[in-house]
Amino acid sequence: MTTAFIFPGQGSQAVGMGKSLAEAFPVARAVFDEVDAALSQKLSSLLWDGPIEELTLTANAQPALMAVSLAVIRVLESEAGLDLKRDAAFVAGHSLGEYSALAAAGTFSVTDAARLLRIRGDAMQKAVPAGQGAMAALLGAELDLAREIATAAAQGEVCEAANDNGGGQVVLSGAKAAIERAIALAGERGVKRAMLLPVSAPFHCALMQPAADAMREALAKVAMKAPVVPVVANVGAAPLSDPDAIRDSLVAQVTGTVRWRECVQAMAAAGVTDFVEAGSGKVLAGLVKRIVAGSAPVSIGTAEDIAAYKARNA
């Protein structure tokens, strides 16, 4: 098996995502209906009609992106004969996408994944008062340099590497003043570009500890099965199959660095040559291209993408 299925995280949301799938395939519509029921909210209407400001709220974006990803997987199963256990070497997801990966691989039900992501989104939003935290993208910086900048900028405040996305793209997270100092330092250290990100909270840093505590409590109450295919976890950048280890990793992920570059490298080193992004947008496919030379990742998020995938694999 040389294929890995990967699942996008926050930032890939867009009004209209998943709509063509729901209109064309009853199995996709069933996923959106299940998520609506799980959350007691017509989230599907928000996905398809907006407004984008409400969809982008962390508590909405996280279960919404998972719903689209799982709709893609269900359609691939019904229309293209996909069997992850047979056809995939690994699954992996970027931040909240790890929950999508685990739901696709059978660790969580779609209902449990939706409820966990609603809890996660709420807890991450509430962990830090509005305006006190920030995140910044450093473009043209590798992880070691980004960490040096974060350490120098901290000055007693939290400033940490949140995402190592690959291709010279690292995201810092922490206290607003420290992140602003990091942006100024980045220019002095030769970083090509440093910019504040339009996010509502400083994700994946120590300031998220209250959210990690909330997820530890929530995950302890949810039934988890071993995934049918190993998940390459964000914080360890290594495959996991044991439910207890997965639970611990998901808790650690809230405050830990998303080691996406290393996750992709680990899958490639294990023999993966084909990466399939299941869900909204093409962000992860773009990152994979920069991490694995010569790769040609595929993104599947629409009915048209399903048809193209079926044609390629006929």
Side-chain angles (χ1 to χ4, degrees):
M1 291 181 291
T2 59
T3 301
F5 282 80
I6 55 177
F7 298 83
Q10 215 159 326
S12 290
Q13 67 273 6
V15 172
M17 64 180 184
K19 189 171 186 179
S20 69
L21 295 172
E23 290 174 344
F25 305 107
V27 290
R29 181 77 219 201
V31 172
F32 295 112
D33 289 345
E34 184 175 350
V35 171
D36 286 352
L39 300 179
S40 300
Q41 174 193 3
K42 198 71 172 170
L43 189 64
S44 56
S45 295
L46 185 58
L47 266 78
W48 302 330
D49 302 323
I52 186 62
E53 294 80 12
E54 193 173 340
L55 177 60
T56 299
L57 293 175
T58 302
N60 290 327
Q62 296 200 20
L65 285 161
M66 183 278 299
V68 177
S69 288
L70 266 292
V72 169
I73 292 296
R74 295 291 179 261
V75 173
L76 289 175
E77 289 170 344
S78 67
E79 297 293 316
L82 174 68
D83 179 337
L84 281 179
K85 185 175 183 179
R86 181 194 66 209
D87 299 331
F90 303 103
V91 293
H94 192 284
S95 190
L96 81 90
E98 195 163 303
Y99 287 79
S100 307
L102 288 163
T107 294
F108 297 128
S109 68
V110 170
T111 290
D112 283 340
R115 289 173 177 164
L116 285 168
L117 286 170
R118 170 56 53 84
I119 293 167
R120 185 177 183 268
D122 280 335
M124 292 171 90
Q125 189 61 63
K126 291 172 183 173
V128 179
Q132 292 189 14
M135 299 180 77
L138 306 186
L139 307 180
E142 297 301 333
L143 183 60
D144 287 347
L145 176 58
R147 283 179 167 157
E148 287 176 17
I149 291 169
T151 299
Q155 297 182 17
E157 295 185 296
V158 171
C159 188
E160 299 170 3
N163 302 342
D164 178 16
N165 287 330
Q169 182 189 120
V170 180
V171 176
L172 301 184
S173 183
K176 189 169 188 289
I179 293 299
E180 289 171 344
R181 287 192 293 270
I183 290 172
L185 277 172
E188 298 170 14
R189 301 286 181 94
V191 174
K192 185 174 165 185
R193 190 177 176 202
M195 57 185 180
L196 277 175
L197 295 178
V199 295
S200 54
F203 306 127
H204 299 292
C205 75
L207 296 175
M208 287 288 112
Q209 188 57 49
D213 295 340
M215 290 315 297
R216 180 179 290 106
E217 183 179 342
L219 285 160
K221 299 174 182 175
V222 172
M224 293 174 61
K225 300 176 184 175
V228 298
V229 57
V231 58
V232 179
N234 286 181
V235 294
L240 296 178
S241 292
D242 175 69
D244 289 335
I246 291 169
R247 184 181 288 109
D248 290 344
S249 179
L250 289 173
V251 173
Q253 186 218 66
V254 179
T255 56
T257 303
V258 175
R259 296 165 60 186
W260 186 250
R261 173 181 57 84
E262 293 172 85
C263 288
V264 173
Q265 288 173 337
M267 289 185 279
V272 170
T273 55
D274 300 307
F275 291 87
V276 180
E277 180 177 12
S280 177
K282 299 181 179 181
V283 171
L284 296 187
L287 294 178
V288 169
K289 284 180 185 176
R290 295 202 287 270
I291 296 166
V292 182
S295 62
V298 172
S299 298
I300 304 177
T302 66
E304 293 79 7
D305 295 337
I306 295 287
Y309 181 84
K310 286 173 66 177
R312 277 193 304 270
N313 292 274

